[in-house]
Amino acid sequence: MKHLGKVIRSVQAFGRELSRRSSATEAQRMPAIGLALGGGFARGIAHIGVLKVLEEEGIPVRMVAGTSVGALMGAAYCSGLTVAELEELAHRVRFTTFARWTLSRYGFATNDRMVAFLTRTLKVQKFEELRIPLGVTATDFNTGEGAVFSSGSIIDPVRASCAYPGMFLPVEIGGRWLVDGMLSHPVPTQPLRKMGAERVLAVHLKGQWSKTTAPRHLFDVIGQSFAIAQDMMSSVWRSAADIVIEPDVAGFDYDDFKRADELVCVGEVAMRRALPEVRKWLQVPAETLPVKAPVLSVRPAPMPAD
């Protein structure tokens, strides 16, 4: 009996090893899918809906790059937070979770509260310890060049990526003053290509302000100015994307954290609309893929007329 037990255990171990090797071989055949998460402050909660659908459909994300709130969401997810934990987090956060008002010639607020928030939220705090490779973008205030962080501490690069000019104070890292990554990488598709992504799914959170009423305050003016600038440079980041999805975040304010459920939902809807094209990637071995597929832009369906 003892000998029989050893034989059974050996057969079981052999079966597990075959299964592991088969899974590894299958993963190698799939294209390396990268997810580029754009900025949009509270609208970034829509990213959770995108991640939720990708997980439910078993679509493997091999690497992530994030800008601004996309960097924050990417860091949390890549560190090991589940989609359910991200949803729970989205219901708790408010503007004051990350920021506090201050009196400075460099901005109206500081995001130094993100240090404590990220320290207690992230499951690991170094890029090298992440379960999924991550790139975090920021912009060098002096040179205007984009910066992509992928090693060392995660916390300050995420803070820098979220340092919205005019609102938040710049963040100093290694002698450089850095501001929001949206100035250089509105949606970080190009960094993903450099990280080795063979297929890039880009999530663009295009906010829209009313065309018939005046801005409510300075932050509307700053936000709309950014939106205009991003539209002008959209051809750059779109050219590095295979699929661009645009959750319908029009009508959500920059600080609409209280509408977390709705934002998650619009992210889900947009991702599900893109699923047929994404599934095609998984049907073709990676080595047979062309360098880049035609870009597909998936936008919200127009609302029916009254």
Side-chain angles (χ1 to χ4, degrees):
M1 290 295 291
K2 187 179 294 185
H3 178 70
L4 180 60
K6 287 183 178 179
V7 172
I8 291 172
R9 285 194 294 273
S10 297
V11 171
Q12 289 174 335
F14 180 69
R16 286 194 296 269
E17 178 63 16
L18 278 180
S19 177
R20 185 190 68 78
R21 292 186 181 185
S22 176
S23 298
T25 302
E26 189 65 28
Q28 288 175 354
R29 289 175 182 165
M30 291 183 179
I33 297 175
L35 182 63
L37 303 176
F41 211 54
R43 300 183 184 100
I45 295 173
H47 290 320
I48 300 174
V50 173
L51 291 166
K52 186 175 183 178
V53 172
L54 289 171
E55 284 208 348
E56 288 176 353
E57 299 296 325
I59 296 170
V61 173
R62 297 269 293 278
M63 59 201 73
V64 177
T67 288
S68 198
V69 68
L72 175 60
M73 289 293 179
Y77 183 69
C78 293
S79 79
L81 268 73
T82 65
V83 169
E85 287 173 324
L86 286 173
E87 288 188 89
E88 182 183 342
L89 192 66
H91 284 96
R92 296 201 313 263
V93 298
R94 295 293 183 270
F95 178 82
T96 53
T97 305
F98 313 106
R100 61 183 176 85
W101 300 113
T102 188
L103 185 62
S104 170
R105 57 183 173 171
Y106 301 123
F108 293 97
T110 173
N111 65 12
D112 57 3
R113 285 182 176 171
M114 290 187 74
V115 175
F117 171 77
L118 291 170
T119 299
R120 66 176 180 267
T121 299
L122 301 182
K123 297 196 174 182
V124 298
Q125 295 179 22
K126 290 187 179 297
F127 283 96
E128 293 81 359
E129 299 169 344
L130 295 169
R131 68 184 182 95
I132 299 172
L134 172 70
V136 170
T137 69
T139 305
D140 188 309
F141 180 76
N142 292 315
T143 66
E145 295 175 347
V148 182
F149 294 89
S150 57
S151 63
S153 174
I154 300 168
I155 293 176
D156 277 346
V158 172
R159 285 185 60 219
S161 189
C162 295
Y164 208 70
M167 179 184 288
F168 293 114
L169 277 60
V171 175
E172 188 269 333
I173 300 178
R176 290 195 296 174
W177 289 99
L178 299 159
V179 293
D180 202 304
M182 285 202 294
L183 284 172
S184 53
H185 295 289
V187 184
T189 55
Q190 292 170 307
L192 269 182
R193 291 287 180 189
K194 292 179 180 179
M195 290 168 66
E198 294 168 304
R199 286 289 173 263
V200 172
L201 176 63
V203 187
H204 180 218
L205 305 174
K206 183 177 181 179
Q208 294 180 351
W209 277 260
S210 170
K211 296 180 174 64
T212 58
T213 60
R216 298 169 302 158
H217 42 58
L218 173 63
F219 301 129
D220 271 4
V221 175
I222 296 173
Q224 181 65 352
S225 298
F226 264 90
I228 293 168
Q230 287 171 38
D231 281 348
M232 296 297 290
M233 62 187 296
S234 67
S235 61
V236 177
W237 63 261
R238 285 180 186 272
S239 67
D242 294 298
I243 295 177
V244 179
I245 69 171
E246 297 183 311
D248 187 7
V249 295
F252 289 91
D253 293 333
Y254 80 97
D255 57 350
D256 250 346
F257 294 101
K258 61 185 180 297
R259 299 174 67 186
D261 285 334
E262 296 171 70
L263 283 161
V264 171
C265 183
V266 299
E268 288 185 65
V269 170
M271 186 63 241
R272 291 203 178 278
R273 196 173 286 123
L275 275 178
E277 291 300 319
V278 175
R279 286 199 185 101
K280 291 179 183 178
W281 298 347
L282 307 183
Q283 297 169 2
V284 183
E287 60 269 18
T288 67
L289 289 166
V291 175
K292 188 177 180 302
V295 177
L296 172 72
S297 186
V298 183
R299 294 184 171 87
M303 294 295 290
D306 292 334

